[in-house]
Amino acid sequence: MPHASPARIAIRFLQAVVTACLSLQALATSPPPPPPGIKFMPPPDWRPPAIAVNHNIGQPIQLRAATVEVDVFGDQARTSVELRLFNPNPRILEGELQFPLQEGQVVTGFALDVNGRLRDAVPVPKAKGQEIFEDIRRRRVDPGLLEAAAGNQYKLRVYPIPAMGERRVVITLTETLARQRDAGVLRVPLMFTSPVGQLQVKVRAHGAGRQDVQVLQAPAGAELDASATGTELSLQKNQWQAPQGPAGWLQLALRRTGKPQIMVGETGGKTFFAGQLDLRDEPVKRPAPSHIALVWDASASAAAQARVLPVLEAYFRKLGQPVKLSLLVMRNKAETVRSFTVAPGRFDELADVLRAEPFDGSSNFDELPIPADVDTTLMVTDGLMTDGKKTIRYTHTAPVIVINGAASADMARLARLADRTGGALVDAALLSPDEAAQAMLMHGWRIAKLDSLSARQLVTPTTRVSQGRISVAGELLDSNARIDITLVHPDGRKRTLALQVNAKPVSGHWPGQQWAQWRSAELAENAGLHSAELQRIAAAHGIVGPNSSLIVLELASDYARYSLPAPPELADEVARLGQQQLAQAAQTRQAHIEAMVRQFDERQRWWDRDFPKDTPKRAEPKAKAEMQISQGGLGSLAGTARLREQAMGAPAAAPSFAPAAPAPAPIIAAEARADTADKRLAKPAGVPPASTIALQAWTHDAPYMKRLQNAGKDDLYRVYLDERAAYLNSSSFYMDAAGVFFERGLPELGLRVLSNLAEMNLENRQLLRLYAYRLVQARRNDLAVPVFERISELAPNEPQSWRDLGLALAESGQPQRAVNALWEVVSQPWNGRFAGINMIALAELNAIAAQASASGQPALDLSRVDTRLRRNLPLALRVVMAWDTDDTDIDMWVSDPNGERASYANRLTYQGGAMSPDATGGYGPEEFSLKAAKPGKYGVEAQFFGHRQQVLSAGTTVMVRVTTGFGTPQARDEWTTLRLTRGQETVRVAEVEVR
C-alpha cells in the first residue's frame, strides 16, 4: 500500500507489464481433479493498475512498446519482458514500482539501457544496493535497482527517465508451470488500463509438437505454428487494449510426457541439476481434531482474507462433528484468546465474530499463545509480517494448515511452515471452498529423505506431492549421479524412487537458479537467521531475494568504488580503478578518527570555558577566531544565507566518503569575558537547574481531527474506522489519530492505529522511522527497538539508523548495545551530507556510559572507543532536531533570555550556547548545547528551508528532543513531532523555562 503517494511520479502501469509475465501458480497441495476441460478465472484481487501521476501534476508515462518472450522446457518457463517507457513531461522523473510474484516464480535477470545499449544488472547486497542507488541518483547519473521487499513483493526503481525521452527495461523471471489434468498451463495476463503502443508476444515450446500445445485463450490474430525447435505462438498488436476477465489473458496448455524432466547447467564453475518425476498421490483423511487453534490475521493488509470464510465453513461442515476452537486474533499483538465450539452447520457464530474484527494495524507473529492441548492449527494469513522481529514464531507441535486468500503473500515462508509441521498450504483464491476444505482434510505421500553419493546440497520446493509430481535439485559431483528419494505415507508405508542424472550441462544458468530458488525457499521461514547464506546464494546465481538485489550502473568508477562485479565492456577499467581505491581505503578510516579527536579537543575547550551569564550591553562582533568554520567544531558559520541558497539550487555534489575535515585553530578566545559574579547566575553543569519544558502543541487542520476530538471515548474507535476509508494511504492520518487515542488514555488502541505505518509501502524506511519515533514518544522503547533494528538492516549506510537504534537501546536498559551502535556512527567516515552527526553521537555515547557507571551497573566494554574520545560533558540544556525525509534542509533556532538566537549563522552565543553544523542534505540532526543555563525562557523554532529531492514530498515530519540535565542521572527528556509542508515555513516547537 503506497504511503500517501510518496511524492514522486510513480510508474504504476509498469506493474501491469510485469504482471503480464507472471503466470498463476496452482495450490501446493493435490486438489481433486478439475471438471473436464481446463477452466480459469483471473484472481479476484488482480486489477489492471492505473497510470498515476502524484498530485495531478504532469502527464502519465506512456508505454510505447511491450515485448513478452516466453521459453518453455517441459514444466519450466523463462519469461523476458522488455518495456519502452516514454516521459512526455518537461522534467526528469524517477520511477518506482512494487509488484508481486506468485508461488514458484523468481526474478533472475534485469537490464537497463545505458548510453543506448542494454546493460545486464549485477547482484548486490540489498542494503548496499539502496545506498548505491541513492548516492548515484543524487549525481543525476543512470542507476537502476530491482529489489525484493516483503514477502513476494518486488520493487523496481529507474532513474532518470529523461524529459521528453525514453528508457528501456528488461526483466527476466523463471517459474514452474501449474498443472491441470495432464498439462502444464501457461497463463499471461494482457490487460492494461491504457493502450499499449505496440504489443508483441512470442511463446516458444521447445521439444513440443504441434499436437502437444493447445490454445485455451488468445486474442484474435495469435498464430500457432511448428518451428525447428518445437512449437511457437506469435502475437502482435498496435494500440492494444485487452478486454476484462479471462478474455484478457493468453492461456496455453502443454501436454506432459510422463517422463522425468532433467536440466543440467553450469554456474560459477559448478554443475547443477533440476529434475521432476511424475507421482500419483494417494491421499487419506487426517485424524479428526479435538481442539483447533484458529490464528486469524486481522492486520490492515489482510483485508483480502475475507474470502477465506467460505473455506472455513466448508471445512467445519466436512469434519462432521463438533470441535473445540481457540481463536487468536493477530495484529500488532495477539488479542486475548477466545473459546468456541463449532459444530457442522453451526459456523455462523464464529463467522459473525470474524466479520466484526476490523482489519487494522500491523502484523506481528512473534508470540503465538496457542493452548498446549491443540492438535491442529489453522492459520489464516498472507505471511507478510510487518512488525516486531518479522517472524512467525510457531513452536507448537500441531500441524499447521495455512489458508491464504490474498493475491500478495509470502508463499515461500508459508509453504515452509506447512512443510515443517506436516500441514498443508491452501490458496483460497484458486480453489472452490469444497476443494480447499478437501485439501485441508487430506494428506498423502511426503519426501522423508534425499540422498546421493554423487550430488550434494539436495533440495526440494515441497516435501509433498504437488500437482502429481515431486521435484529435486542439487549440485553434481560427477557427470552421472543417482538421486534416491525416500517417501513415507501416513499409513506407514515407505518407498524409494531413483532419479538418474546423466545429461550434459547444456541448460546454462537455469538449473543453478532453480536450485538457488528452492534453497532460498527452505531458508525463508527465518530469513534473518540465514541472511548471510541467502545473500551468498543470490550473489552467486544472480537472483533477487530478501537480502539481495540487482543493480545497473553507468560509470566504471562506480563499479570500482562499490566493489561490484563489472560488466564485460568495463572489466579492465574497473579492475584498474579498484586497485587504486583499495590502497586509499585503509588510510581513510584512521584519518577520520584523528579528525574526530581534533574536533573533540575543541569541544572540550568549549565545555571547560565559563561563559558570561549577564546581559550584554551591546552587540559585539565575534572574534575572528570565532568566525572560523569547522565541519565538527563550534565556530559560527562562515557562509551566509546567499551561499546556502546557492547550495540548495545547485546539483547535488558527488558523494564524499573522505574523513571529516581537520578542526581549525581553537575558536575559544584565550581571555574569559565573565567574572565571578557572572558565573553565579548559572547553575553548574553537573547540577541541572530546575526547569519546565512546554512543548508547543501542533495545530491540526485536517478535517478528520474535529470528528476524532469531538467523539466520546466509547465511540472514538468507530469514528476512526469511519474516517479511515478516505485516508488509507495517509501516514499523517494514522499519526494524528493515534495521538488522540493516547491523549484519551487508550494506549493499546493508540498503538494499534499507529502500527498501520508498518503496513504501508513495504520496507519504506521513512515510514518505519516515523513509526519508531512515535513509539519512543509514547515511552514504548521496547517496541521501538525491533523497528529501529529493521531500519538498520534496510539502511546501514545511513548513520541515523545506528544513532536512533543506540538511543532506543539505552532507553530500554541495554547500555552496552547502545554504546556499540553509537560507536558505529562516531567511527565511520560517512557521506558528506551527514556532516556533524559523528560529534552528536559521541556526546550521547559518553553520556550513556557515564550514566551506566553512576547507576552502579557493570562496567561497559569501551575497548573499541578511542581513549582520547572518552569524556562525558554534561549539559544544562540540549535540543536535538531530526526529520524523516532525505535531501532536506530544516533549520533549528534557539533563542535565550538575552534575546540572542543560536542558528546556523550564529553558532556560538554570548552565554555559550553552541549550535552544530548546518545539516542541509540528509535527515539532520541539528543540536543545540548549553553547559550552564542562565535563568529565563528559551524558545525553540524550526524553519523548513527546502529540499533537493527529485521526487515531490507531501511534507516532512520533524522530531524534536529537549533534554535538561543531559549526561547526568537527573536527565529529563521530552519529545514532540510536527509536520512541515511549505518552504520557508517557521513554527515554534518548544519553550523551556530555567529557574
Side-chain angles (χ1 to χ4, degrees), residues 607-724:
W607 193 88
D608 289 335
R609 175 183 172 183
D610 291 322
F611 285 84
K613 302 302 173 184
D614 61 345
T615 301
K617 295 181 177 59
R618 59 186 177 84
E620 299 179 4
K622 292 280 190 294
K624 182 177 180 181
E626 294 180 0
M627 292 300 293
Q628 301 295 320
I629 181 172
S630 163
Q631 187 172 356
L634 300 170
S636 297
L637 186 69
T640 63
R642 176 183 58 81
L643 293 177
R644 114 194 308 256
E645 289 170 2
Q646 292 175 355
M648 289 299 299
S656 171
F657 290 90
I667 64 169
I668 305 302
E671 62 276 11
R673 294 185 292 179
D675 57 22
T676 305
D678 295 331
K679 298 174 188 176
R680 286 197 297 267
L681 291 174
K683 297 282 187 181
V687 182
S691 61
T692 302
I693 303 175
L695 300 177
Q696 183 70 32
W698 183 25
T699 302
H700 305 272
D701 56 2
Y704 53 76
M705 282 301 294
K706 187 173 182 180
R707 281 197 70 199
L708 290 171
Q709 291 169 339
N710 292 338
K713 195 171 183 179
D714 293 339
D715 295 330
L716 181 58
Y717 191 64
R718 286 191 289 271
V719 171
Y720 153 77
L721 292 174
D722 184 54
E723 288 287 341
R724 184 184 65 169

Side-chain angles (χ1 to χ4, degrees), residues 222-306:
E223 298 179 355
L224 189 66
D225 297 303
S227 69
T229 60
T231 301
E232 289 189 2
L233 179 140
S234 300
L235 172 67
Q236 182 169 327
K237 293 286 186 180
N238 294 321
Q239 295 302 311
W240 166 253
Q241 191 161 12
Q244 300 294 313
W249 295 64
L250 169 65
Q251 304 176 64
L252 299 179
L254 296 95
R255 188 172 61 184
R256 62 182 181 179
T257 65
K259 299 178 181 179
Q261 300 177 13
I262 301 173
M263 298 188 300
V264 179
E266 292 185 352
T267 299
K270 298 179 180 179
T271 302
F272 291 87
F273 80 94
Q276 296 178 344
L277 286 171
D278 285 351
L279 178 66
R280 186 177 65 85
D281 200 7
E282 301 176 63
V284 296
K285 195 168 185 178
R286 294 177 182 271
S290 59
H291 186 182
I292 293 175
L294 174 58
V295 180
W296 181 262
D297 185 347
S299 63
S301 63
Q305 302 291 11

Side-chain angles (χ1 to χ4, degrees), residues 296-570:
W296 181 262
D297 185 347
S299 63
S301 63
Q305 302 291 11
R307 69 168 58 93
V308 168
L309 291 178
V311 173
L312 292 176
E313 187 280 329
Y315 172 76
F316 287 110
R317 171 167 42 83
K318 288 177 176 288
L319 277 180
Q321 62 184 39
V323 63
K324 179 181 178 181
L325 182 139
S326 294
L327 175 64
L328 287 76
V329 175
M330 307 297 298
R331 295 187 180 91
N332 59 308
K333 58 176 288 187
E335 308 289 335
T336 302
V337 178
R338 286 171 280 178
S339 297
F340 299 84
T341 298
V342 182
R346 300 292 301 274
F347 179 67
D348 289 350
E349 179 186 357
L350 178 59
D352 289 342
V353 170
L354 295 176
R355 289 192 191 97
E357 287 292 339
F359 292 103
D360 189 31
S362 62
S363 49
N364 183 344
F365 280 40
D366 288 349
E367 299 295 334
L368 293 169
I370 295 175
D373 62 338
V374 161
D375 50 20
T376 298
T377 297
L378 306 181
M379 187 176 292
V380 179
T381 180
D382 56 14
L384 298 176
M385 301 297 107
T386 58
D387 211 342
K389 296 187 181 300
K390 303 188 73 172
T391 63
I392 299 179
R393 192 168 177 268
Y394 186 82
T395 58
H396 206 281
T397 58
V400 179
I401 300 174
V402 184
I403 314 167
N404 171 56
S408 176
D410 191 340
M411 299 300 285
R413 167 183 278 178
L414 298 179
R416 177 60 181 165
L417 174 62
D419 260 9
R420 176 175 64 83
T421 61
L425 172 59
V426 173
D427 194 331
L430 298 180
L431 296 177
S432 70
D434 282 341
E435 290 172 340
Q438 189 69 12
M440 296 165 65
L441 291 166
M442 310 296 285
H443 60 164
W445 287 102
R446 288 178 178 270
I447 298 175
K449 184 180 180 181
L450 297 172
D451 193 26
S452 177
L453 298 177
S454 302
R456 63 179 182 177
Q457 301 192 75
L458 301 174
V459 296
T460 180
T462 175
T463 60
R464 292 161 288 158
V465 177
S466 176
Q467 301 174 359
R469 65 192 169 197
I470 54 177
S471 304
V472 62
E475 179 188 346
L476 292 176
L477 302 176
D478 200 340
S479 57
N480 292 291
R482 170 184 164 128
I483 315 300
D484 291 323
I485 306 169
T486 303
L487 299 106
V488 295
H489 193 270
D491 63 10
R493 287 180 291 157
K494 292 184 179 182
R495 62 184 298 190
T496 300
L497 301 179
L499 178 66
Q500 197 70 37
V501 181
N502 54 17
K504 295 181 179 180
V506 295
S507 299
H509 299 311
W510 198 343
Q513 290 174 332
Q514 187 74 84
W515 172 87
Q517 177 190 354
W518 293 347
R519 175 58 179 160
S520 297
E522 279 190 342
L523 305 175
E525 190 180 359
N526 194 340
L529 183 64
H530 304 289
S531 59
E533 183 177 354
L534 285 167
Q535 186 172 301
R536 289 193 300 270
I537 290 172
H541 297 274
I543 65 173
V544 179
N547 298 283
S548 62
S549 304
L550 295 175
I551 194 166
V552 176
L553 306 179
E554 177 182 2
L555 303 177
S557 57
D558 287 327
Y559 283 96
R561 179 180 187 182
Y562 299 109
S563 302
L564 295 179
E569 63 270 25
L570 300 178

Side-chain angles (χ1 to χ4, degrees), residues 61-88:
I61 300 296
Q62 297 173 9
L63 180 56
R64 282 191 165 176
T67 301
V68 181
E69 296 191 357
V70 186
D71 289 281
V72 182
F73 296 86
D75 282 346
Q76 304 298 311
R78 178 169 56 197
T79 302
S80 174
V81 179
E82 179 176 325
L83 316 173
R84 287 176 52 202
L85 315 175
F86 177 72
N87 175 14

